[in-house]
Amino acid sequence: MELADLANLAQPPHLRTLFADDPRRAERYVFKVADLRVDVSKQRITDDLVGSLIELAQSAGVEQRRDAMFAGERINVAEDRAVGHVALRMPADSSFEIDGVNVVPDVHAVLDAMAVFADRVRADDRMTHVVNIGIGGSDLGPAMAYQALDAFRHGRIRCSYVSNIDGADIAGVLADADPASTLFIVASKTFGTIETLTNARTARRWLVDALGEQAVPDHFVAVSTNAERVADFGIDADNNMFGFWDWVGGRYSVDSAIGLSLMISIGPDRFREFLSGFHVMDEHFRTAPLTENVPVLLALIGVWNANGLGFDTKAVLPYANELARFPAYLQQLDMESNGKSVDLKGQRIGHDTGPIVWGEPGTNGQHAFYQLIHQGTRIVPVDFIGFARAHHDFQEHHDLLIANLIAQSEALAFGRDNRSEPWRHFAGDRPNTVILADQLTPSVLGQLIALYEHIVHVQGTIFGVNSYDQWGVELGKELANQVTPELTGSPDPGAHDSSTNALIHWYRTHR
């Protein structure tokens, strides 16, 4: 079975027919993994089709590449690196070897240092505001998780996240900050990311203007691997720098030192629960047979939707306001990983790769884009995410929220026949998955993130791409470094195309 063969497989009948012909469909296509209940019964699949998809996974080497990742092999071939994010959440007595060295003790040494620091900040009544300065994985992960785990936050400490080079981003945070009670975390592996360092220098000037140069060591810490640059900035690299490793990609790093702001917010014990959620999903992915492996099955269904049925987007719709940033987090995880057009050997790919991922929390989206996903000409597969219990006391609100989740899943799948009034006709047969858990906890959030991480890994294997590099972010940044001095008058632009030259000239006359 090859990826190209998917287009030749017979499409299943309408979901109405599939359910009518199989009274046990809703039981057979529901899977339990850790704390998650995953219902794929409303996907356009049959037993025969799933069998073909399993054959595809086997022929693509999904098991072998999974095992190679867990063995610490250098599966990131473009950068000749291991892919070790699963080591970040292993128990202290585990082993994960890279080049013959068990990295788990180093991981726990950093976690222990983070815990000591987090406890110190949480005990210091003077500190009430933590500002994380990063971009990409150094921002999206901790910002998403901080919002998701709102119910577990420290009562005194709030966190803000600055990532955009647009000065409005940091201006808004500093306008609402008190220098004496603010701690800045500068998160940059190389300590050279231009967006992050520009924002960090602005924050440093703001602090120095208020408190003087001597305040910098007490109000800045770094998450980085470049001790020299960190020290040049004025941060104590020996005590206030928390490291991570080149085998951790940015979009896979929220459970590393990049999550320091989250650990300060929810505390070291809750952060360890967060890590344990990742690990239980890792173990399921590592050990479960393909026919029962939930990340593998969800990945295969996604490949079927995209490459078999031609549905080129996927909406992730959490019915939990705390997960409002989860779709944006998954955008980076999926599209930066699998948005590639060359394979592992550098050859041009002739098939579609990763889907376009998007979404908003329910029920807001119902009054925006649900019109298209119900009655539009483009079919959009959907992942619904919801929880049995909320962290607030407004039970009537929560009942209505989950009623909407269940109703939307039903409506998309089965529609409503009303051909006498075509504008009220709902064709249905719109595939969707429903993921439920009792409550959104640190462990459950870790499980959800790891679930999608492994989906991306499996799909990247089937697409034949390297899910662990991101060269596509480089060209625009390189050109921006060239354009920046040209905007201020020196040198004079002229080496670009006529449109770009005109844009530079326009800005120079209007800035």
Side-chain angles (χ1 to χ4, degrees), residues 81-309:
R81 291 175 180 169
V83 173
H85 52 275
V86 294
L88 298 173
R89 51 265 195 153
M90 286 182 170
D93 59 355
S94 303
S95 178
F96 188 95
E97 291 193 358
I98 296 177
D99 297 331
V101 177
N102 181 13
V103 302
V104 175
D106 285 345
V107 168
H108 279 269
V110 173
L111 287 172
D112 291 345
M114 290 168 59
V116 170
F117 181 80
D119 281 338
R120 191 164 76 240
V121 174
R122 289 165 64 86
D124 186 347
D125 290 339
R126 297 170 299 174
M127 288 297 175
T128 62
H129 192 188
V130 174
V131 179
N132 186 90
I133 300 176
I135 198 166
S138 299
D139 168 79
L140 276 169
M144 176 277 294
Y146 172 73
Q147 181 171 354
L149 299 179
D150 172 79
F152 301 90
R153 296 177 189 172
H154 191 284
R156 186 189 74 250
I157 300 170
R158 64 187 173 100
C159 296
S160 300
Y161 294 86
V162 174
S163 60
N164 201 331
I165 196 65
D166 185 340
D169 193 7
I170 193 166
V173 170
L174 297 182
D176 189 33
D178 169 33
S181 61
T182 300
L183 171 71
F184 293 97
I185 300 172
V186 184
S188 172
K189 182 184 291 188
T190 63
F191 221 74
T193 307
I194 189 168
E195 298 95 337
T196 300
L197 266 293
T198 300
N199 281 323
R201 292 185 188 109
T202 297
R204 192 185 191 284
R205 286 193 298 271
W206 173 84
L207 183 82
V208 169
D209 287 347
L211 302 179
E213 189 74 32
Q214 71 279 1
V216 172
D218 292 330
H219 290 266
F220 276 88
V221 299
V223 178
S224 180
T225 58
N226 194 324
E228 183 178 354
R229 288 182 178 176
V230 167
D232 288 345
F233 188 88
I235 295 172
D236 181 353
D238 292 328
N239 298 301
N240 288 340
M241 186 182 87
F242 304 91
F244 55 115
W245 305 269
D246 64 4
W247 40 262
V248 180
R251 56 194 175 278
Y252 296 91
S253 65
V254 64
D255 45 342
S256 73
I258 291 295
L260 179 60
S261 61
L262 179 65
M263 182 185 278
I264 292 170
S265 176
I266 66 175
D269 289 344
R270 293 291 191 183
F271 194 84
R272 293 186 186 98
E273 293 175 17
F274 180 55
L275 299 182
S276 72
F278 281 92
H279 182 63
V280 71
M281 186 62 68
D282 294 343
E283 286 299 287
H284 170 80
F285 176 57
R286 185 179 68 86
T287 62
L290 297 186
T291 54
E292 302 169 15
N293 197 305
V294 174
V296 171
L297 291 171
L298 290 179
L300 291 171
I301 290 169
V303 171
W304 166 242
N305 285 336
N307 298 80
L309 299 174

Side-chain angles (χ1 to χ4, degrees), residues 312-346:
D312 56 4
T313 81
K314 180 175 79 172
V316 179
L317 308 177
Y319 276 64
N321 201 59
E322 300 100 318
L323 287 178
R325 298 212 63 188
F326 195 57
Y329 176 79
L330 295 183
Q331 283 177 338
Q332 187 198 24
L333 176 65
D334 200 320
M335 294 199 285
E336 192 167 274
S337 294
N338 290 342
K340 313 287 172 59
S341 57
V342 297
D343 64 17
L344 290 164
K345 297 179 180 178

Side-chain angles (χ1 to χ4, degrees), residues 448-461:
L448 283 169
I449 296 171
L451 173 67
Y452 281 95
E453 286 179 349
H454 299 321
I455 290 170
V456 167
H457 174 90
V458 172
Q459 291 183 339
T461 301

